[in-house]
Amino acid sequence: PPAPQPTTIASVLAQRLRDSRDDLVRRWLERIAARVALTPNRVFPTDELLNHVPLLIDGIAAYLERPEQEIDADVPVVAKAMELGALRHSQGFDAYEILKEHEILGSIVVSFLGEDIDELGKGVAPSELLSSWQRVAHAMELIRQATMTHFLRLSNERVKERENLLRRFNRMVSHELKNRVGAIRGAASLLPEPWLQPAEREQFHRIVIQNSAGLQHVLENLESLSRIDVEARQGRNVLLPQA
């Protein structure tokens, strides 16, 4: 497609975004770090990941300039948004924190562009201003969807993995309990028999005692696991000033 005319408000705003993207990144990073229990160096732990945000802003600027080029899976900015979702998943963010993170980015971009529109929008048709604003909002939404979709897919995969582990664990525990209970019942049912020799009776008695102790050990382990799960779910990270 032909290059956009430099006199359009959309192309001017797009260039302003590109020129100020480092400042926008800094603002975003500061506001995220103020909300989560991560140091700024861990919010984007490598320079490569930190470069995601300028690329996201470039994607918004490109869509603002050329709305006919849709933001879809083939556009690099979508891949970067998905990688951001993967990063947040590995860092233990929840869905609300990611949505809030994008809300912060959106408010920073909108606030920044709002100042420019006040300065540059005089004499520009209201329909052109509204169209530019809609493009920015649409680009932000598409980026947010790409991040959240990938984050939720990874979360679902982790849930399925944990469900499979839990099923295997349940089968193992069930097998152990059945074996212990079966041994106890079998030995206990033979103890009253009058034909048992003393040595045999002592052997069955030991079977009851050993398997009872083993059963008690399994139950204690299950109780310990349940306490760990409750304590983990009750724990939460807080910011140092709040603490």
Side-chain angles (χ1 to χ4, degrees), residues 55-129:
L55 290 172
L56 294 180
I57 293 174
D58 282 347
I60 297 170
Y63 185 71
L64 176 59
E65 236 175 6
R66 299 182 179 183
E68 70 278 3
Q69 295 184 348
E70 286 289 344
I71 299 178
D72 55 28
D74 296 327
V75 179
V77 68
V78 173
K80 295 304 178 183
M82 293 172 64
E83 288 177 18
L84 180 58
L87 170 66
R88 294 299 180 245
H89 179 265
S90 68
Q91 291 175 323
F93 277 47
D94 59 30
Y96 171 78
E97 288 173 322
I98 296 176
L99 290 172
K100 193 66 181 179
E101 181 178 32
H102 279 276
E103 179 189 335
I104 291 171
L105 177 60
S107 67
I108 290 172
V109 171
V110 168
S111 176
F112 172 78
L113 292 179
E115 297 171 0
D116 284 341
I117 286 178
D118 288 340
E119 177 185 347
L120 304 171
K122 297 177 182 178
V124 177
S127 60
E128 188 178 353
L129 288 175

